[in-house]
Amino acid sequence: MSDIQQELRKTARELLESGEVGYIIGWGKGRFANQTHPIFVKDPAKVDELVWDDYCLSTLAKYTQDDKYPEKKIGICVRGCDSRAVNRLIQDHQLKREDVYLIGIPCSGKLDPETNEPAKKCVECAHRNPVVYDVLLGSPVEEVPQPERFKEVEELEAMTPDERYNYWADVYDKCIRCYACRNVCPACNCRECYTDQYRVGWQGKQNNRAENQIFGITRAYHVGDRCIECGECQRVCPMGLPLMKLNRKMLKDINNLFGAYEAGLDTETKPALGHYETNDVEEFM
Ligand code: SF4
Ligand code: SF4
Ligand code: SF4
């Protein structure tokens, strides 16, 4: 058993027994050895269900949204990605810092259960250490700079408009509108998503290219400067669609227009699109 896993279970037991938290959100073992899934542990006698292994892929912060008014603090395991998601939820007023107890875990990256190779989202991760926590298990790991953060976007930008249209048409022809990308995304935290508003009918229910593209583009804009680049949307997409290219196109433009920007590194930096200054770029006006 890894030292971190042992420490995690010990910390969880202490937090539950002392009543500091009402429950802990962490990872539990799936049906197969190379799977984990998010679990909620309330009973101190069940802390041994918590695991920390190569397959703890799910980003956990979104699950706090199922409990908007917790009786006690929610204990939650946070690596770099989870902690950025927590910060972003706090900035969106969807989570209160005082409602969570953050168990920080430095992360060396996880494996894709299908290939046993490093998961794409982790290969591209620039913040492996939690950026905020109440307790830190283990020691910080070395961060891996990501000079090619926008490489895939640049490849798309080098295409002609027709080539780009055909590329995305092909992508969204495959989308089955399962909304897994939205459901897993910590930046997609509206209580009622526009796609579900039947009465006003913002989004048609047909599964065709035009409606799917509207969904993809609208989601990319809504996520915009809130995307913490956890890669979860792309990881869970059952059709294997390259959704990070769209998210990073938004982020690349934001970086070009408003300066260096990464979401969720703290709660003080104003989100690039969440405020305006009179000297903002406005060539489109
Ligand atoms: S995205 Fe980063 S912090 Fe999250 S699991 Fe992968 S390497 Fe760890
Ligand atoms: S997860 Fe993939 S298939 Fe499902 S709605 Fe999102 S883009 Fe479409
Ligand atoms: S859009 Fe994707 S990468 Fe960005 S925060 Fe949401 S799930 Fe994570």
Side-chain angles (χ1 to χ4, degrees):
M1 191 195 301
S2 77
D3 290 349
I4 299 273
Q5 181 171 285
Q6 241 169 335
E7 235 187 296
L8 169 60
R9 291 175 180 178
K10 181 170 170 282
T11 305
R13 186 175 293 110
E14 286 167 3
L15 288 169
L16 289 167
E17 282 177 348
S18 68
E20 171 88 21
V21 304
Y23 57 92
I24 309 258
I25 308 178
W27 304 271
K29 215 56 211 159
R31 185 179 298 174
F32 303 106
N34 61 352
Q35 281 182 346
T36 70
H37 52 75
I39 59 169
F40 299 71
V41 180
K42 267 187 180 169
D43 182 350
K46 293 194 173 169
V47 294
D48 287 352
E49 290 179 13
L50 289 164
V51 298
W52 173 250
D53 67 16
D54 285 340
Y55 303 101
C56 294
L57 279 161
S58 308
T59 302
L60 301 176
K62 181 74 182 269
Y63 296 96
T64 59
Q65 299 302 288
D66 292 332
D67 191 5
K68 286 281 190 184
Y69 305 101
E71 283 176 23
K72 290 182 178 176
K73 286 186 187 205
I74 304 170
I76 175 166
C77 300
V78 293
R79 304 152 296 181
C81 51
D82 311 285
S83 64
R84 292 177 68 188
V86 164
N87 275 345
R88 206 58 198 85
L89 285 164
I90 291 172
Q91 283 191 306
D92 281 343
H93 303 289
Q94 299 300 324
L95 187 63
K96 291 193 181 117
R97 180 65 180 91
E98 59 269 27
D99 281 345
V100 284
Y101 186 98
L102 304 176
I103 305 170
I105 311 182
C107 172
S108 302
K110 301 293 162 193
L111 299 181
D112 182 328
E114 281 179 27
T115 60
N116 255 1
E117 298 289 328
K120 184 167 167 53
K121 71 176 223 164
C122 299
V123 171
E124 295 173 355
C125 173
H127 298 278
R128 293 164 173 240
N129 294 296
V131 295
V132 59
Y133 52 82
D134 293 302
V135 63
L136 187 69
L137 310 186
S139 314
V141 294
E142 200 174 331
E143 297 291 6
V144 182
Q146 298 293 336
E148 300 200 326
R149 183 182 178 199
F150 297 127
K151 182 167 175 269
E152 289 183 333
V153 179
E154 281 155 10
E155 286 164 7
L156 278 172
E157 288 170 343
M159 293 178 178
T160 65
D162 281 349
E163 285 169 342
R164 259 200 311 277
Y165 179 82
N166 290 334
Y167 177 86
W168 288 113
D170 194 39
V171 165
Y172 279 101
D173 279 350
K174 298 192 188 96
C175 172
I176 56 173
R177 296 264 293 289
C178 63
Y179 298 141
C181 51
R182 174 199 69 180
N183 294 352
V184 81
C185 173
C188 267
N189 55 42
C190 297
R191 185 156 298 182
E192 189 177 4
C193 175
Y194 83 99
T195 59
D196 295 330
Q197 293 180 14
Y198 293 96
R199 203 163 50 83
V200 283
W202 292 111
Q203 169 82 63
K205 297 297 164 196
Q206 301 95 328
N207 183 231
N208 58 35
R209 178 184 296 177
E211 294 290 354
N212 296 353
Q213 284 181 325
I214 291 284
F215 168 64
I217 289 172
T218 309
R219 200 183 95 78
Y221 272 96
H222 282 191
V223 168
D225 68 345
R226 296 187 288 143
C227 172
I228 49 116
E229 297 176 75
C230 64
E232 279 290 271
C233 48
Q234 182 162 302
R235 182 180 75 83
V236 302
C237 175
M239 304 312 290
L241 304 186
L243 305 178
M244 287 309 292
K245 290 186 186 176
L246 211 45
N247 300 331
R248 288 217 169 93
K249 169 62 179 161
M250 294 294 298
L251 290 167
K252 181 170 182 283
D253 287 354
I254 287 169
N255 274 259
N256 287 344
L257 291 168
F258 303 110
Y261 179 76
E262 290 177 283
L265 295 186
D266 56 50
T267 50
E268 288 77 41
T269 308
K270 287 183 183 164
L273 303 182
H275 70 293
Y276 74 94
E277 288 166 18
T278 47
N279 60 351
D280 276 349
V281 181
E282 54 172 356
E283 288 161 3
F284 58 96
M285 298 285 268

